[in-house]
Amino acid sequence: MYLLQVIGSQPSQGTVYALLQLNLANGVLFIVTSAFIGFKEKYVRSISAYETVRELLDTDLLTGLPNRQRLHEVMNTAISEQRTFALLFIDLDGFKLINDTLGHVIGDRALQETSRRLQKLEDQHYFAGRLSGDEFVVLVFDDPTKASQIAQTLLTDLARPIVAEGHIVHLTASIGMSVYPDDGSDSQQLIQHADSAMYTVKTFGKNGIRRFELATDSAIERLKQIEHALTQALTCQQFHLVYQPICSLDDGVVRKLETLLRWTHPTLGPVSAAEFIPIAETNGQIIPLGEWALRAACQQAREWIDRTGLAVTVSVNVSPLQFTQVNFVNQVRQALGDARLPASALEIELTESAVMRRLEVVKASLHELQRLGVRIAIDDFGTGYSSLAYLRDLPINCIKIDQTFIHDLSTPRRAPQFALALIEAVIGIASTLSLQVVAEGIETQKQLDMLRDLGCDLGQGYFLCPRWQRTLPSKPSWPQPCFHQEAAPRPLIKRVLRSSEWADIVQFIQ
């Protein structure tokens, strides 16, 4: 309106131009201001949304505690600032039982109540978070002695009953502790060491506290490493089979080959079967592992038969857990069929504990295997139940005397006649029942001579050195290892053959 009045009074052109410029500037300022206000509001909303998302990413949704990612961030910050702190690794004892018996809803309520009790600690000196499942971590930015006191307080507090959905839940906790920088140089190592200390607490009764000690907890760490690596070992083709000859004690002729499972890990190196087999049996991995070993042994035996024309017999160890599976006999049948291997070329080795587990199921499976033509051997005889009834009632073809009894022949724990009497009794019973006898762990000439005099059929061990003869036999037979005859024999390395090595060795006798 003011601009129209000015134009009506006929002002100079300069005045009109100035007024137009002023109004144009006001319009631009209004547009810019409106855009800025809109951008500011949008920016504030985006910052708020980012912070919300970031908070969600750093928070465990069930308990509201900081999650694993946030815990690592806090620890890494403290490590970069060279701040000393203690890490308490908390695992609830018996939580799986709560989930299995009362259900996951009750389990979730128990976890939420546990988190609420941990949150009571939170101030500038403490930081609590949830790793996963029933595992929690509390960081104590204080003297390690104070951390032990806090751990004891938590142990008492977490043992108080929890009321969840009308149920009273009783839980305790096992707590492992590690300290930066004494027990680790990074967050992952500190968690790993505290976890190992916690695992030791669980091993020796639970509901306790322990600080990591390298001398005692390193073995636990190795077991956990093996357990983790074992989950991928079969998929990554890290296992292989080796074969140990079982020889006749009369003439040294190789009658069978025992299949032995070996594992070589890319970083752990060769892992002893004594380490990984118990773990595999505990977590159930022995079932697919045993099935693979069975199929691989049958395929190898078929290859040897095709190469040599000899009646190769392979003996495969089967774990109790694998043998009691309802489809085990079908696995054997399929392995034989896929390899085109006659059933008589396969022997299944079972321990006494496997035979006595679910006896009726085992008995039925053994009779099915017998009808197939598969032979059955009892391994480590004398160390388990040693029931004469199952020798009489079950379709068993062979018993293998445990190496501890063979060792007693030359280095007796009691008078030598005790070992002689026991072995003689076993051989006598086996002879009466028409069972074949194998002596395990033959290491000396004395042991060999005594077993031969007692009438033992077959043997295996360090002393039976397979020096394969390179002369072509006059008729098809096993290549014969010679016995060591030196007066003072030096220790012999146990000779175990890989599949490829055996295939190469038998080429010269075709």
Side-chain angles (χ1 to χ4, degrees), residues 231-503:
T231 59
Q232 300 296 325
L234 187 58
T235 304
C236 297
Q237 300 181 347
Q238 295 169 3
F239 289 104
H240 63 274
L241 298 180
V242 295
Y243 300 86
Q244 184 183 36
I246 299 175
C247 307
S248 169
L249 299 189
D250 287 333
D251 52 18
V253 173
V254 177
R255 301 297 183 185
K256 304 185 242 183
L257 292 161
E258 181 177 359
T259 303
L260 304 174
L261 185 62
R262 294 292 181 262
W263 177 23
T264 303
H265 189 267
T267 56
L268 297 175
V271 182
S272 168
E275 289 185 294
F276 72 81
I277 291 295
I279 295 174
E281 289 179 335
T282 300
N283 61 23
Q285 289 178 300
I286 194 66
I287 296 174
L289 190 55
E291 183 179 0
W292 173 85
L294 174 65
R295 297 179 69 86
C298 289
Q299 294 286 351
Q300 183 63 78
R302 178 72 260 174
E303 181 181 342
W304 288 335
I305 291 173
D306 292 342
R307 283 175 174 267
T308 66
L310 304 177
V312 178
T313 299
V314 290
S315 187
V316 180
N317 290 277
V318 176
S319 79
L321 185 61
Q322 181 186 5
F323 188 79
T324 52
Q325 296 297 301
V326 293
N327 63 337
F328 175 72
V329 176
N330 287 333
Q331 287 181 9
V332 173
R333 187 182 290 110
Q334 185 174 357
L336 291 171
D338 291 346
R340 298 178 295 105
L341 185 71
S344 58
L346 176 64
E347 182 177 76
I348 297 294
E349 285 192 22
L350 301 171
T351 60
E352 291 176 312
S353 60
V355 172
M356 300 306 293
R357 178 184 292 191
R358 299 175 63 187
L359 185 58
E360 291 304 315
V361 175
V362 169
K363 186 175 181 179
S365 297
L366 288 176
H367 281 290
E368 283 192 66
L369 291 172
Q370 183 189 46
R371 285 192 289 271
L372 281 178
V374 176
R375 296 174 58 83
I376 305 296
I378 301 299
D379 196 15
D380 301 333
F381 184 80
T383 59
Y385 296 94
S386 299
S387 170
L388 299 181
Y390 75 70
L391 291 181
R392 177 197 62 196
D393 299 335
L394 298 179
I396 294 168
N397 306 104
C398 175
I399 57 176
K400 303 183 72 173
I401 303 175
D402 187 69
Q403 61 183 344
T404 55
F405 297 101
I406 309 304
H407 181 72
D408 282 350
L409 289 176
S410 55
T411 312
R413 288 169 289 182
R414 300 179 65 182
Q417 61 265 29
F418 286 99
L420 272 173
L422 287 171
I423 295 173
E424 188 173 12
V426 171
I427 293 174
I429 292 170
S431 176
T432 301
L433 297 175
S434 300
L435 302 177
Q436 196 176 59
V437 180
V438 177
E440 298 182 291
I442 299 176
E443 299 178 353
T444 66
Q445 182 70 50
K446 180 180 179 181
Q447 292 171 351
L448 175 62
D449 292 338
M450 295 176 74
L451 288 166
R452 185 187 287 151
D453 292 340
L454 289 171
C456 185
D457 301 315
L458 306 173
Q460 63 185 114
Y462 293 159
F463 194 75
L464 303 182
C465 175
R467 298 175 181 175
W468 307 103
Q469 297 178 356
R470 292 184 174 272
T471 57
L472 186 66
S474 57
K475 59 180 179 179
S477 65
W478 286 100
Q480 299 184 12
C482 62
F483 293 129
H484 203 282
Q485 299 291 344
E486 295 177 2
R490 58 184 178 180
L492 295 175
I493 298 175
K494 183 178 182 181
R495 182 65 173 116
V496 184
L497 304 178
R498 291 177 181 266
S499 306
S500 58
E501 291 179 310
W502 175 260

Side-chain angles (χ1 to χ4, degrees), residues 9-37:
S9 60
Q10 296 182 350
S12 63
Q13 291 183 353
T15 302
V16 173
Y17 180 76
L19 290 173
L20 288 173
Q21 289 279 20
L22 178 61
N23 278 276
L24 181 61
N26 287 336
V28 172
L29 179 62
F30 174 78
I31 293 171
V32 170
T33 303
S34 299
F36 176 77
I37 293 172

